[in-house]
């Protein structure tokens, strides 16, 4: 393997998922200089070549760094662009409808967010300031009003402000929604399964909780529902951790250090937090299937008051939203923010961590197959009519996800759809056109 040849060492640790054992492996991190005090990072294709590039907000140098990907997970020298005063958060989305990734930055000390439009080649013009008031922090983009363009949400003190896009990159005046107290970070997802995008905010300082703001369907939001957290929440991330088809929450916290998981009952009713306390302090949190076993794991940057090489902590998901003890890698510990994406184009999830610049950790984990009986969607060791019923219920959000995706993806196209149900039926009953029927490795 090319990556094994060019690296002097591989960071390997064993992960046990269900009945399968595999090894999660990352190459040693490669650090790239940015501006002063890199505090936020996101990954997306900025120059239209199909590779995920990096955008970094630099708090002390009042600018952002763009690092274009060479296509193999290595990056070109950073190009810096001015933003506003103390950029604290950065995200990318197509705001002007031209098909490329633009940038939004929350400028903590200037009461504005900045929009930087992309020329399509990864070059950015002068920032366009938009007044939002207060101390803009965490920013994100999603289509809140279902009009097929990207809107913006920004955390401002005790509020979350929403700015709706007219489709050309021109935004309406911010509308503030009370989030309960000092908003640390926000994330967006459909929490109540009604097809529109809701908001969740981690609340720090006087109150330790998570606020859920449900979308009314038109880009306006209801009053928050509050989920208490027994520690100081920092980062927040949403994913389906337990495989039941709805979006759960993971929240990093600084007292005690660690993170907690809140499982969604499907209607934005979240259960009590389940805590995973660690000796490591994380300011941010993200997730992806790092060990390639089909479920969403959790990663946090490891923070230290001593500037050094960035460090990462990963918690492997056992498949039922319970998590293994953390495994950390990187020789130091100055991580501020973290993001994930396929940075080397091999189909798995890599990591970028900011702190003293930005460090890239390339995932070289080999996939572990859970497949034993093709078509066994309900994981009872047999392929029969009950598997058709099980998969059909899952696809209609009336039942859990198959324990082994590979077994249920009977046509091998990488998706669970009604075509898999039809393929199962044709195979079992020998009717209709034959289908491609996967075989276990």
């Amino acid at each position: 393997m090319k990556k094994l040849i060019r690296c002097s060492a591989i960071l390997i640790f064993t992960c046990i998922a269900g009945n399968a054992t595999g090894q999660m492996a990352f190459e040693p991190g490669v650090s790239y200089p940015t501006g002063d005090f890199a505090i936020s990072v996101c990954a997306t294709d900025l120059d239209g070549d199909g590779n995920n590039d990096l955008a970094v907000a630099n708090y002390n140098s009042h600018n952002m760094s763009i690092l274009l990907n060479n296509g193999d997970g290595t990056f070109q020298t950073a190009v810096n662009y001015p933003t506003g005063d103390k950029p604290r958060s950065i995200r990318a989305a197509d705001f002007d409808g031209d098909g490329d990734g633009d940038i939004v930055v929350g400028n903590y000390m200037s009461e504005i967010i900045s929009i930087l439009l992309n020329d399509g080649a990864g070059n950015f013009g002068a920032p366009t300031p938009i007044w939002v008031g207060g101390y803009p922090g965490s920013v994100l983009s999603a289509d809140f009003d279902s009009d097929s363009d990207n809107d913006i949400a920004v955390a401002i003190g005790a509020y979350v402000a929403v700015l709706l896009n007219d489709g050309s990159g021109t935004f309406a005046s911010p509308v503030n929604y009370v989030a309960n107290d000092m908003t640390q970070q926000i994330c967006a997802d459909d929490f109540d399964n009604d097809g529109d995008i809701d908001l969740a905010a981690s609340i720090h300082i006087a109150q330790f909780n998570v606020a859920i703001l449900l979308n009314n369907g038109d880009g306006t939001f209801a009053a928050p529902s509050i989920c208490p957290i027994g520690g100081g929440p920092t980062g927040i991330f949403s994913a389906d951790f337990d495989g039941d088809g709805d979006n759960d929450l993971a929240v990093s916290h600084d007292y005690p250090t660690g993170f907690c998981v809140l499982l969604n009952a499907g209607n934005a009713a979240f259960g009590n937090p389940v805590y995973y306390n660690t000796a490591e302090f994380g300011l941010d949190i993200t997730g992806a299937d790092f060990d390639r076993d089909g479920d969403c794991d959790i990663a946090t940057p490891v923070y230290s008051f001593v500037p050094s090489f960035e460090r990462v902590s990963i918690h492997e998901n056992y498949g039922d939203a319970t998590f293994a003890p953390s495994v950390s890698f990187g020789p130091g510990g100055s991580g501020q923010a973290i993001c994930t994406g396929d940075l080397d184009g091999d189909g798995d999830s890599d990591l970028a961590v900011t702190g003293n610049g930005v460090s890239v950790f390339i995932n070289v984990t080999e996939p572990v197959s859970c497949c034993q009986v093709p078509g066994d969607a309900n994981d009872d060791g047999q392929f029969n009519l009950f598997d058709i019923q099980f998969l059909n219920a899952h696809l209609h959000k009336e039942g859990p996800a198959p324990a082994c995706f590979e077994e249920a993806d009977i046509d091998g196209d990488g998706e669970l759809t009604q075509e898999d149900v039809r393929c199962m039926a044709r195979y079992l009953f020998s009717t209709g056109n034959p289908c491609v029927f996967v075989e276990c490795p």
Side-chain angles (χ1 to χ4, degrees), residues 13 31 46 56 74 97 130 138 157 166 168 237 245 315 321 347 355 364 374 389 403 407-408 427 429:
F13 46 94
S31 186
L46 296 173
V56 177
T74 65
I130 300 177
S138 176
D166 70 358
S168 68
F237 176 78
H315 309 259
V364 291
Q389 295 172 335
E407 290 181 335
Y427 187 87
F429 302 112

Side-chain angles (χ1 to χ4, degrees), residues 2-48:
K2 182 178 179 181
K3 293 184 179 63
L4 298 181
I5 294 172
R6 70 179 175 85
C7 289
S8 58
I10 298 291
L11 306 167
I12 298 177
F13 46 94
T14 299
C15 295
I16 302 174
N19 296 322
T21 300
Q23 286 191 324
M24 191 188 309
F26 282 79
E27 293 181 351
V30 177
S31 186
Y32 297 88
T34 61
D36 188 11
F37 193 13
I39 197 171
S40 182
V41 60
C42 66
T44 194
D45 181 10
L46 296 173
D47 56 358

Side-chain angles (χ1 to χ4, degrees), residues 14-23 291 293 316-318 368-372:
T14 299
C15 295
I16 302 174
N19 296 322
T21 300
Q23 286 191 324
D291 56 2
D293 65 351
E316 182 244 349
N317 188 343
Y318 288 129
V368 177
S369 176
C370 60
C371 189
Q372 296 180 2

